[in-house]
Amino acid sequence: MEREFSAGGVLVRTIRGRAMVAAIRPRGKDRVWALPKGHIDAGESAAETAMREVREETGVEGRLVEKLGDIRYVYTANWEGRKGERIFKVVSFFLLRAVQGRIGEIDEAMRVEVAEARWLPLAEAPRSLSYDGERKMAAKALERLGA
Ligand code: ATP
């Protein structure tokens, strides 16, 4: 089976005393709330990818805290040429602390992929995120932060 490797971030910041996490709504999946992530480019470490993708998809710069873990899933390709092919995917997630930038202030080109980026309460993220693996990463971040 074809394999794919991505990396992403659980980007946190405190707003009025409350721990928040950056989540995105991927374009074309209007009810999905997901963590920012993307393909690991050649020559990039997974942590570098996570920080780059978080910045590109949310508009917020993060500082690396630690690795949280890997999630795995299988999905079916639906793009031209590979329709129906099963793909095994591994995504490494990192805990990041927001350093600067305003959420949602992203490049015009990025809006093709991201419909919306928003701070969600971290305590609720193990329920409000759409994918099970990402919910587990949010739960790990909560544990790590003692929040
Ligand atoms: P990337 O953000 O890594 O560049 P992508 O946008 O090309 O990736 P995915 O987000 O992996 O692709 O989405 C491919 C398919 O897998 C979609 O149908 C999506 O709904 C599904 N998917 C995405 N994340 C998960 C997950 N954590 N668990 C299960 N299925 C997922």
Side-chain angles (χ1 to χ4, degrees), residues 34-121:
L35 295 172
K37 64 162 175 57
H39 182 259
I40 301 174
D41 288 340
E44 229 180 15
S45 71
E48 286 167 349
T49 303
M51 292 197 284
R52 176 179 57 75
E53 290 286 344
V54 161
R55 176 172 29 80
E56 290 174 356
E57 295 191 342
T58 70
V60 180
E61 188 94 32
R63 168 174 62 76
L64 181 63
V65 179
E66 65 179 19
K67 184 170 176 180
L68 291 170
D70 296 327
I71 69 169
R72 296 171 176 78
Y73 52 95
V74 174
Y75 73 94
T76 306
N78 64 356
W79 55 88
E80 223 38 70
R82 290 177 65 183
K83 271 204 174 77
E85 195 179 319
R86 303 283 281 163
I87 294 168
F88 177 74
K89 185 152 181 173
V90 182
V91 188
S92 298
F93 277 100
F94 295 83
L95 179 60
L96 309 178
R97 275 223 184 256
V99 177
Q100 59 174 354
R102 277 180 65 87
I103 200 149
E105 284 190 358
I106 59 175
D107 280 0
E108 216 42 57
M110 221 45 226
R111 297 186 191 282
V112 177
E113 288 180 43
V114 178
E116 188 183 359
R118 203 196 266 185
W119 293 112
L120 302 180

